[in-house]
Amino acid sequence: SSEILTLASSQRGMRVFDCRPESKQVTEQVVEATGKKLEGFLQDVSKAFSISGKETFVLTTTDRRVIDDNVFDELEDGITLQLLRSADQELPAATQEHIKYVPHYYTLVQSGMYEYYASEGQKSLPYAFAELVDNSLSATASKEGLRTIEIRLLFDESQGKHAAVVLDNGCGMTSKQLNNWAVYRLSKFNRDNSTIHSDHSGYVRPAPVPRSLNSDISFFGVGGKQAVFYIGQSARIITKPAASPDVHEFVMSKEDFERKEKNKEDIYCGVIRNRKPGDCAHIVVEEELFLQALIAEEEDKESFTAVVITGIQSEHITYLKQHFDLWTRELAHIYHYYVHGIHGNDMRQSAKNVQKESNVDIQISLVEKSGKQSRRVNLRNVDNDMQTLYINSTSASFEFRAQAHGEATVEGLIRYHPFLYDRETYPQDPYASPGPADEEDDECEVFNPVGRGKRPIFECFWNGRLIPYTTVAEFEWCACPKKAGSVPAECYNRISGVLFTNDCFPVSTNKLTFMDLELQLRDRETIFTRVINGQDQRVKIQREFTTWMKECHEQYDKQIKFMGFQGVTTRSDI
Amino acid sequence: SSEILTLASSQRGMRVFDCRPESKQVTEQVVEATGKKLEGFLQDVSKAFSISGKETFVLTTTDRRVIDDNVFDELEDGITLQLLRSADQELPAATQEHIKYVPHYYTLVQSGMYEYYASEGQKSLPYAFAELVDNSLSATASKEGLRTIEIRLLFDESQGKHAAVVLDNGCGMTSKQLNNWAVYRLSKFNRDNSTIHSDHSGYVRPAPVPRSLNSDISFFGVGGKQAVFYIGQSARIITKPAASPDVHEFVMSKEDFERKEKNKEDIYCGVIRNRKPGDCAHIVVEEELFLQALIAEEEDKESFTAVVITGIQSEHITYLKQHFDLWTRELAHIYHYYVHGIHGNDMRQSAKNVQKESNVDIQISLVEKSGKQSRRVNLRNVDNDMQTLYINSTSASFEFRAQAHGEATVEGLIRYHPFLYDRETYPQDPYASPGPADEEDDECEVFNPVGRGKRPIFECFWNGRLIPYTTVAEFEWCACPKKAGSVPAECYNRISGVLFTNDCFPVSTNKLTFMDLELQLRDRETIFTRVINGQDQRVKIQREFTTWMKECHEQYDKQIKFMGFQGVTTRSDI
Ligand SMILES: Nc1ncnc2c1ncn2[C@@H]1O[C@H](COP(=O)(O)OP(=O)(O)OP(=O)(O)O)[C@@H](O)[C@H]1O
Ligand SMILES: Nc1ncnc2c1ncn2[C@@H]1O[C@H](COP(=O)(O)OP(=O)(O)OP(=O)(O)O)[C@@H](O)[C@H]1O
Ligand SMILES: [Mg+2]
Ligand SMILES: [Mg+2]
């Protein structure tokens, strides 16, 4: 089947099938058409199939278009033609037509477009950046010192076109790995990492760690590509692996694809530039001035990867500037436990000493035109993401573990946010717009749940990273019982929760939703166990939970209750 | 860049770059390695770059692996090598490495896997079949007579392996179009339909029709591929276009891809079989017996397309058998207006005469092992899909139009389901499981909304076909006002609605969600207009709507109301 490929582009060979009714069997021959007119080509066909001068025949394409002078000139190399007695005769036997069906380049260019929208529209941009941060977390996973990940928005026009750079001090990529970066759907599960075949290294799942913070967040072989083409129209990857003295650089852009399509070149051929660190001889146009500064930084680095996105949609630029706090906070939410460590961002004095610092450092900066102050935030300093709010308004927590099939485990945590004097302490999302559901509740104001209300209890983290659109409402054992029990119903509105799953629970390719987490956890086979100080408790979880709730209520809720009603006294003295 | 391709697979040419520090500039030469040992190859390299016998040098790959005998034997054709003074010397100037990055075949094979799950898990299978029905609707769009679309589940083991066939009497495909079918992300917007370049036919959007029932439901160039590989592991497309005497047949399978990868063949090369109708000479194995019957049917047909899926996942087979009523009803819901015409399935006597029959006929059959009765349903006869239930419990409807930017229009309809004597007539989903939100309402039972409750008002159709996961809660003008008005609040729970959009409102590639419908409609620029008998009413829609609601309430609600309370009488006689 590689036959078609071996004909150079200037050559034209046609695969001609003899389909005349009297032919004993359908034979196939490649007839050369290079430099010929139809006349000459037909003579060659006659010769090839020993057709006598008296015999009439027609040549057609496989959609039965008769080959005349005009059609002939446009036929492409390798095309299949049928030699027939008449244009509408039936085929005595089947012909075999070789085709190619390489995916269209929209596979890459449009991949993110519809992935990140996913019906919620507005907040999608931070999730695209998250794919690049995911890759940087994976790449820095085995780093000993500080793992630095930077998102730099270079919106200063004096430095060239607008660019978004995601930069890390991770392991970098060899040129082979950089080549693999570009292959859509090639993932750690189905790739061969080496230039040399014999050292094919299969993927090994990392050992279990608390809360599955294993940095192993690369999965489908699509994230980086979807993200860059959702954000912009061109991606330049610049990378250096630790062992090598060379930097590797590769550009993939929509414009490039369009050019190759127009020129009928192979769409998925490209060039990696191998060069020494700091060498920016290839950066010549003013538009790319900002790259020189970036490349100059290379010389001090052992290894790194930079993803440089240009051609950024103007709506995105507006959004990134105007909602800087909002989207950086969303990233702080997604990576909360990577940035703050397994116990999260507990800012209360009591926690300050026990906390083990995380070595993940995620910085975001936005540089606008000179004169305007640039903005900079370290995700560690974000103090109003939802997890931070939950953690700092908790008075007690209840840990558990869920064991589904095989190695599929979930660590869970429920936090109690008490009622203090005159108000619920269950945190409210400072940026949330009141949903339609809340408004409709107006009619029965008195019964309106406070605290969490009807929102789901659990936010869900997959290999330590938030999957933002999936929440789990509750489990049977932690739901408010139908019949009034020893714990007042409103206490059940005072809990929030987190689930930490490993990657045995599949997520969608855009990492916005779990595929069936709730379904799997509701399965009767799934076993829930309370955990205290890391030890599984062999007791009924529902009873444990109810007891815990009762204690929380009694110990932490400071509710003013009017008791012992003795009648109405009219104060005529006021 | 097609240079790499032109070397036949038995040849080995290496692109060698002279990177020695003293070389004035980095020169590149292709050095032949075919049939050589390293020794000989190195001599040729010396010659090519005029290296004297005394000079020492090393050859490395671009990841700086030194070429020794073992490495040399494994080097692939076209690889880039660096000629260096020493293995760790820096590069005096950049080298250019040609790479290929054709998408991995998982692009096709895994495409549906995560697309159709989309967090809701269970019901995804009908949506995969819907992609194939979409294609059949598009293909039969300009058919004069009956447009027949059949889903046949052939689960009779005596006829070979399990198969699902989607069959239509549409326009069919030429072999070129069949080739295009296989190209991922090639859609009507970016393809060239002809074998011949000069008659490149651009896509023309169909003229507006009522409720956008234009059958133009092909959009992204992914649906068919995602669907077949979500359902099974192999797809055989058999098709005949009207003008041609030939049937074209193409098989794409996971097994095939795996084989080609193993053999290092081009992944996206395949063969189309062109043959006469009814010719099943190529069906020889017992496993494929059922294909003979299918092929035998071809002879009576002017044009058709059959998509035959095998390798169906066993969970899918179980689901398709056990929940036959459920998933066929879901399809009836999706295609409600295609199957029943623009007014939908109004079964009441009054409607019987005015109704114009639709010519879309969608049949589903399930054949199990001989002896067991096969099942068959025509979607036209499904009478319990939600739209049928809504339509048949309506006493009045309110039509409107929404005009967003440009050509983006929405036709809308609100239906009133009155209270009759002792109950709400707002229809309940017969298959719905009570959600957690409903249960939690227990506390304030008295105020519990009946009828629609807090569910969204609108189901949404895109080019006439349901987009199942997107609903629109309400618009300002049809929401229950905060302050009690002339219409009792509970009446607002008695309305259901439908939105019919054209394709100016983008949907996700799996056609499960709109990307930003609600956002666009909530835009201040969007203008809502009431429509009566097809005429736009130039009046404030909110006032119109409130008046209509009031009329509905007064005319259709038959509520027993206890009025004129006169005191309590104790019936001591009981
Ligand atoms: N910052 C980086 N440093 C080192 N290697 C990287 C980096 N980013 C990407 N890569 C490599 O490129 C590959 C492709 O990345 P991409 O995000 O497209 O897919 P993925 O991470 O494998 O899977 P997913 O679809 O889950 O993101 C990665 O698997 C990784 O090997
Ligand atoms: N039943 C059919 N009859 C005729 N042509 C068909 C049929 N099914 C598919 N095709 C052709 O194959 C193409 C590819 O189909 P596919 O469903 O994969 O993508 P699409 O319909 O173009 O876009 P979408 O992703 O929206 O489904 C269609 O555009 C159409 O030209
Ligand atoms: Mg990734
Ligand atoms: Mg389609």
Side-chain angles (χ1 to χ4, degrees):
Chain A
S1 70
S2 63
E3 231 169 299
I4 323 174
L5 295 176
T6 59
L7 299 161
S9 54
S10 56
Q11 287 185 302
R12 290 206 308 164
M14 318 272 161
R15 314 170 75 88
V16 182
F17 281 86
D18 181 3
C19 304
R20 290 169 299 164
E22 67 280 7
S23 305
K24 268 138 252 127
Q25 70 187 79
V26 171
T27 54
E28 178 198 354
Q29 293 195 48
V30 175
V31 181
E32 206 44 62
T34 317
K36 288 183 195 140
K37 291 257 158 240
L38 178 58
E39 191 61 37
F41 179 70
L42 288 178
Q43 280 167 13
D44 289 358
V45 169
S46 293
K47 219 175 291 166
F49 292 94
S50 324
I51 304 175
S52 76
K54 276 167 272 170
E55 217 177 313
T56 59
F57 67 91
V58 285
L59 276 181
T60 71
T61 60
T62 52
D63 53 2
R64 297 276 182 151
R65 180 191 277 257
V66 175
I67 309 298
D68 59 22
D69 286 315
N70 294 332
V71 174
F72 180 70
D73 288 342
E74 294 201 35
L75 294 180
E76 280 183 29
D77 182 40
I79 200 168
T80 298
L81 299 179
Q82 301 180 151
L83 166 59
L84 301 165
R85 172 77 56 226
S86 65
D88 58 356
Q89 129 206 352
E90 69 179 20
L91 294 178
T95 63
Q96 306 238 330
E97 180 172 1
H98 289 248
I99 60 162
K100 286 207 263 179
Y101 52 100
V102 177
H104 190 270
Y105 67 83
Y106 274 18
T107 302
L108 290 161
V109 170
Q110 297 256 316
S111 56
M113 199 55 194
Y114 300 89
E115 278 286 333
Y116 294 106
Y117 263 111
S119 86
E120 311 226 355
Q122 301 181 285
K123 280 210 298 189
S124 43
L125 208 47
Y127 305 134
F129 278 104
E131 287 287 353
L132 301 172
V133 175
D134 284 353
N135 287 347
S136 292
L137 277 174
S138 296
T140 56
S142 51
K143 188 100 192 162
E144 290 295 310
L146 201 61
R147 300 161 64 180
T148 59
I149 300 170
E150 275 185 80
I151 299 178
R152 298 185 193 169
L153 303 179
L154 307 176
F155 293 171
D156 177 358
E157 275 142 30
S158 73
Q159 297 302 303
K161 53 192 159 191
H162 287 71
V165 182
V166 180
L167 186 65
D168 65 61
N169 67 348
C171 60
M173 289 177 262
T174 63
S175 68
K176 169 79 175 181
Q177 286 165 336
L178 181 55
N179 185 348
N180 284 346
W181 178 92
V183 179
Y184 197 73
R185 282 278 176 189
L186 186 67
S187 72
K188 62 191 170 202
F189 302 109
N190 59 5
R191 88 181 141 217
D192 167 13
N193 256 322
S194 64
T195 336
I196 308 305
H197 281 287
S198 45
D199 60 301
H200 189 314
S201 48
Y203 167 69
V204 182
R205 161 174 275 133
V209 291
R211 302 199 169 167
S212 300
L213 285 166
N214 56 28
S215 303
D216 191 30
I217 337 187
S218 282
F219 230 71
F220 302 103
V222 305
K225 281 77 83 182
Q226 287 186 353
V228 296
F229 284 114
Y230 179 65
I231 299 168
Q233 308 216 314
S234 171
R236 179 186 299 260
I237 324 293
I238 312 177
T239 188
K240 178 180 177 300
S244 157
D246 308 325
V247 167
H248 309 291
E249 196 172 325
F250 176 64
V251 177
M252 185 150 87
S253 76
K254 192 177 170 200
E255 207 185 322
D256 240 33
F257 283 127
E258 285 166 350
R259 184 186 48 71
K260 286 185 272 188
E261 184 181 54
K262 205 168 141 241
N263 300 342
K264 294 182 180 282
E265 291 171 37
D266 280 313
I267 295 290
Y268 298 105
C269 280
V271 174
I272 289 179
R273 168 176 287 263
N274 304 305
R275 57 170 177 80
K276 73 173 169 226
D279 174 359
C280 60
H282 58 304
I283 306 302
V284 286
V285 295
E286 209 165 309
E287 288 247 279
E288 298 182 332
L289 216 57
F290 63 93
L291 285 173
Q292 296 186 352
L294 191 69
I295 290 172
E297 290 176 34
E298 290 172 2
E299 294 184 75
D300 313 322
K301 294 178 185 169
E302 173 64 15
S303 65
F304 69 90
T305 298
V307 178
V308 182
I309 304 166
T310 50
I312 305 176
Q313 287 185 51
S314 64
E315 308 95 86
H316 287 342
I317 292 179
T318 310
Y319 174 88
L320 291 169
K321 286 188 203 167
Q322 286 184 352
H323 301 283
F324 187 81
D325 290 334
L326 185 64
W327 66 264
T328 52
R329 172 177 174 269
E330 190 58 26
L331 285 171
H333 188 185
I334 298 174
Y335 298 108
H336 187 95
Y337 294 94
Y338 277 109
V339 167
H340 298 288
I342 55 167
H343 298 296
N345 187 21
D346 196 334
M347 300 182 294
R348 293 171 298 185
Q349 209 46 49
S350 58
K352 281 278 177 283
N353 308 321
V354 279
Q355 199 81 336
K356 212 189 100 202
E357 282 265 309
S358 146
N359 65 344
V360 175
D361 194 79
I362 306 181
Q363 294 237 14
I364 300 169
S365 62
L366 167 65
V367 182
E368 291 190 70
K369 58 175 168 290
S370 47
K372 198 156 180 191
Q373 180 91 50
S374 65
R375 307 185 66 168
R376 174 180 291 276
V377 63
N378 188 313
L379 293 192
R380 194 168 298 167
N381 299 328
V382 173
D383 60 3
N384 64 344
D385 64 289
M386 286 315 293
Q387 283 299 319
T388 298
L389 298 183
Y390 287 132
I391 290 170
N392 291 283
S393 61
T394 301
S395 40
S397 55
F398 179 93
E399 282 186 65
F400 61 95
R401 186 193 313 284
Q403 184 72 46
H405 63 92
E407 289 180 80
T409 50
V410 178
E411 288 174 75
L413 193 65
I414 293 179
R415 302 190 172 107
Y416 196 80
H417 309 280
F419 186 96
L420 289 184
Y421 307 109
D422 58 347
R423 59 182 199 90
E424 294 289 349
T425 62
Y426 185 95
Q428 299 295 318
D429 184 343
Y431 289 87
S433 57
D438 289 343
E439 291 170 37
E440 271 185 51
D441 268 346
D442 280 0
E443 275 177 72
C444 50
E445 196 105 53
V446 184
F447 297 97
N448 201 10
V450 275
R452 196 184 70 254
K454 283 174 187 173
R455 274 171 288 166
I457 297 179
F458 297 101
E459 294 195 326
C460 308
F461 290 78
W462 175 86
N463 276 0
R465 139 333 174 215
L466 181 74
I467 300 300
Y469 292 176
T470 293
T471 52
V472 170
E474 62 185 12
F475 301 115
E476 237 172 63
W477 53 264
C478 63
C480 181
K482 298 258 160 214
K483 284 182 190 155
S486 56
V487 182
E490 64 267 26
C491 294
Y492 287 86
N493 282 326
R494 293 178 185 145
I495 55 176
S496 72
V498 199
L499 299 176
F500 297 95
T501 84
N502 61 12
D503 54 22
C504 294
F505 295 89
V507 294
S508 62
T509 45
N510 56 15
K511 303 199 181 92
L512 291 175
T513 50
F514 276 94
M515 295 204 320
D516 55 3
L517 176 61
E518 187 151 4
L519 209 74
Q520 281 204 43
L521 292 180
R522 286 192 192 287
D523 191 294
R524 246 167 300 176
E525 307 275 287
T526 301
I527 297 160
F528 287 90
T529 320
R530 181 176 189 181
V531 173
I532 297 182
N533 294 326
Q535 298 298 311
D536 288 12
Q537 309 295 303
R538 308 189 121 272
V539 279
K540 280 246 167 72
I541 194 163
Q542 176 146 20
R543 219 179 38 220
E544 285 288 296
F545 181 74
T546 311
T547 311
W548 177 80
M549 283 290 278
K550 192 153 173 279
E551 285 166 12
C552 285
H553 175 54
E554 287 165 0
Q555 242 178 299
Y556 305 112
D557 288 337
K558 300 273 160 36
Q559 213 156 347
I560 297 168
K561 228 179 186 164
F562 296 92
M563 295 175 72
F565 176 69
Q566 301 197 338
V568 177
T569 310
T570 307
R571 302 261 309 264
S572 55
D573 53 332
I574 297 178
Chain B
S1 69
S2 63
E3 232 169 298
I4 323 175
L5 294 176
T6 58
L7 299 160
S9 55
S10 56
Q11 287 185 302
R12 291 206 306 163
M14 318 272 162
R15 315 170 73 88
V16 182
F17 281 86
D18 181 2
C19 306
R20 290 169 300 164
E22 68 281 6
S23 304
K24 268 138 253 126
Q25 71 185 80
V26 171
T27 55
E28 177 198 355
Q29 293 196 49
V30 175
V31 181
E32 208 41 66
T34 319
K36 288 182 195 140
K37 290 258 156 241
L38 178 58
E39 190 63 34
F41 179 71
L42 289 177
Q43 280 167 12
D44 289 358
V45 169
S46 292
K47 218 175 294 165
F49 292 93
S50 324
I51 305 174
S52 77
K54 278 167 269 171
E55 217 178 315
T56 61
F57 67 89
V58 286
L59 276 182
T60 71
T61 61
T62 52
D63 54 1
R64 298 276 181 150
R65 180 190 276 257
V66 174
I67 310 297
D68 59 21
D69 286 317
N70 293 333
V71 175
F72 180 71
D73 289 342
E74 294 201 36
L75 294 179
E76 281 184 28
D77 182 40
I79 200 167
T80 297
L81 299 178
Q82 303 180 151
L83 167 58
L84 302 165
R85 172 75 59 228
S86 67
D88 58 356
Q89 129 206 352
E90 71 180 15
L91 294 177
T95 63
Q96 306 239 330
E97 180 172 2
H98 288 246
I99 61 162
K100 286 206 263 180
Y101 51 99
V102 177
H104 191 271
Y105 67 84
Y106 274 18
T107 301
L108 291 161
V109 169
Q110 297 254 318
S111 57
M113 199 56 193
Y114 299 87
E115 277 287 333
Y116 293 107
Y117 263 109
S119 85
E120 310 227 356
Q122 301 182 287
K123 279 210 299 191
S124 43
L125 207 48
Y127 305 133
F129 278 104
E131 288 287 355
L132 301 172
V133 175
D134 284 352
N135 287 348
S136 293
L137 278 174
S138 296
T140 57
S142 51
K143 188 100 192 164
E144 290 295 311
L146 202 61
R147 300 160 64 178
T148 59
I149 300 170
E150 276 184 80
I151 300 178
R152 299 185 193 169
L153 303 179
L154 307 176
F155 293 171
D156 177 359
E157 275 142 30
S158 74
Q159 297 302 302
K161 52 192 160 191
H162 288 70
V165 183
V166 181
L167 187 65
D168 66 61
N169 67 349
C171 59
M173 288 177 262
T174 62
S175 69
K176 169 78 175 183
Q177 287 166 336
L178 181 54
N179 185 347
N180 284 346
W181 178 92
V183 179
Y184 196 73
R185 282 277 176 188
L186 186 68
S187 72
K188 61 190 170 204
F189 302 109
N190 58 4
R191 88 182 142 217
D192 168 12
N193 256 323
S194 63
T195 335
I196 307 306
H197 281 286
S198 46
D199 58 291
H200 189 316
S201 47
Y203 166 69
V204 182
R205 159 173 279 132
V209 291
R211 301 196 171 169
S212 299
L213 284 165
N214 56 28
S215 302
D216 191 30
I217 338 186
S218 282
F219 230 70
F220 303 103
V222 304
K225 282 75 83 181
Q226 288 186 353
V228 296
F229 284 114
Y230 178 66
I231 299 168
Q233 308 215 314
S234 171
R236 180 186 297 263
I237 324 293
I238 311 177
T239 187
K240 178 180 177 300
S244 158
D246 309 324
V247 167
H248 310 290
E249 196 172 325
F250 176 65
V251 177
M252 185 150 86
S253 76
K254 190 177 173 199
E255 207 185 322
D256 239 35
F257 284 126
E258 285 166 350
R259 184 185 48 71
K260 285 185 274 188
E261 183 181 53
K262 206 169 139 241
N263 301 343
K264 294 180 178 285
E265 290 172 37
D266 279 315
I267 294 290
Y268 298 105
C269 280
V271 174
I272 289 180
R273 168 175 286 263
N274 304 304
R275 58 170 176 79
K276 74 173 169 222
D279 174 359
C280 61
H282 57 304
I283 307 301
V284 287
V285 295
E286 209 165 310
E287 288 247 279
E288 298 183 333
L289 216 56
F290 64 91
L291 284 173
Q292 296 185 351
L294 191 68
I295 290 172
E297 289 176 33
E298 290 171 1
E299 292 182 80
D300 311 323
K301 294 177 186 170
E302 174 63 14
S303 65
F304 69 90
T305 299
V307 178
V308 182
I309 304 164
T310 51
I312 305 175
Q313 285 186 51
S314 64
E315 310 93 87
H316 287 343
I317 293 179
T318 309
Y319 174 87
L320 291 169
K321 285 187 201 166
Q322 286 183 353
H323 301 284
F324 187 81
D325 290 333
L326 185 64
W327 66 264
T328 53
R329 171 175 174 270
E330 190 58 26
L331 284 171
H333 189 185
I334 297 173
Y335 299 108
H336 187 95
Y337 294 94
Y338 277 108
V339 166
H340 297 289
I342 56 167
H343 298 296
N345 186 21
D346 196 334
M347 301 184 293
R348 292 171 298 185
Q349 210 46 51
S350 58
K352 280 279 177 283
N353 308 322
V354 279
Q355 199 83 336
K356 212 190 103 201
E357 282 265 311
S358 146
N359 66 343
V360 175
D361 195 79
I362 306 180
Q363 293 238 14
I364 300 168
S365 63
L366 167 64
V367 182
E368 291 190 69
K369 58 175 168 288
S370 48
K372 197 154 178 193
Q373 181 90 49
S374 64
R375 306 184 66 168
R376 174 180 291 275
V377 62
N378 188 313
L379 293 193
R380 193 167 299 169
N381 300 326
V382 173
D383 60 2
N384 65 345
D385 64 289
M386 285 315 292
Q387 283 300 319
T388 298
L389 298 183
Y390 287 132
I391 290 170
N392 291 283
S393 62
T394 301
S395 40
S397 55
F398 179 92
E399 282 185 65
F400 62 94
R401 185 193 314 283
Q403 184 72 46
H405 63 90
E407 291 180 77
T409 50
V410 177
E411 288 174 74
L413 193 65
I414 293 180
R415 301 190 172 108
Y416 196 80
H417 309 281
F419 186 96
L420 290 184
Y421 308 108
D422 57 348
R423 58 182 199 88
E424 294 289 349
T425 61
Y426 185 96
Q428 300 294 319
D429 184 343
Y431 290 88
S433 57
D438 291 341
E439 290 169 38
E440 272 184 52
D441 268 345
D442 280 0
E443 277 179 71
C444 50
E445 197 105 55
V446 183
F447 297 98
N448 201 10
V450 275
R452 196 186 69 255
K454 284 174 185 171
R455 274 171 289 167
I457 297 179
F458 297 100
E459 295 196 326
C460 307
F461 290 78
W462 176 85
N463 276 0
R465 155 291 198 232
L466 181 74
I467 300 300
Y469 292 175
T470 292
T471 53
V472 170
E474 62 186 12
F475 301 116
E476 238 172 61
W477 52 265
C478 62
C480 181
K482 298 258 161 216
K483 286 184 190 154
S486 56
V487 181
E490 64 267 28
C491 295
Y492 287 87
N493 283 326
R494 292 177 186 146
I495 56 176
S496 71
V498 199
L499 299 176
F500 296 96
T501 85
N502 62 11
D503 54 24
C504 294
F505 296 89
V507 294
S508 61
T509 46
N510 56 15
K511 305 200 180 93
L512 292 175
T513 50
F514 276 95
M515 296 206 317
D516 55 2
L517 177 61
E518 188 151 3
L519 209 74
Q520 281 205 43
L521 292 180
R522 285 191 193 287
D523 191 295
R524 245 167 299 173
E525 306 276 286
T526 301
I527 298 160
F528 288 90
T529 319
R530 181 176 189 181
V531 175
I532 297 181
N533 294 325
Q535 299 298 309
D536 287 13
Q537 309 295 303
R538 309 190 122 271
V539 279
K540 281 245 169 72
I541 194 164
Q542 176 146 20
R543 220 184 31 224
E544 284 287 297
F545 181 73
T546 312
T547 310
W548 177 80
M549 282 290 278
K550 192 153 172 277
E551 284 167 12
C552 285
H553 174 53
E554 286 166 0
Q555 238 177 303
Y556 305 113
D557 287 339
K558 300 273 156 43
Q559 212 156 350
I560 296 168
K561 228 180 186 165
F562 295 93
M563 294 175 73
F565 175 69
Q566 301 198 337
V568 177
T569 311
T570 307
R571 300 262 312 261
S572 56
D573 53 332
I574 298 182

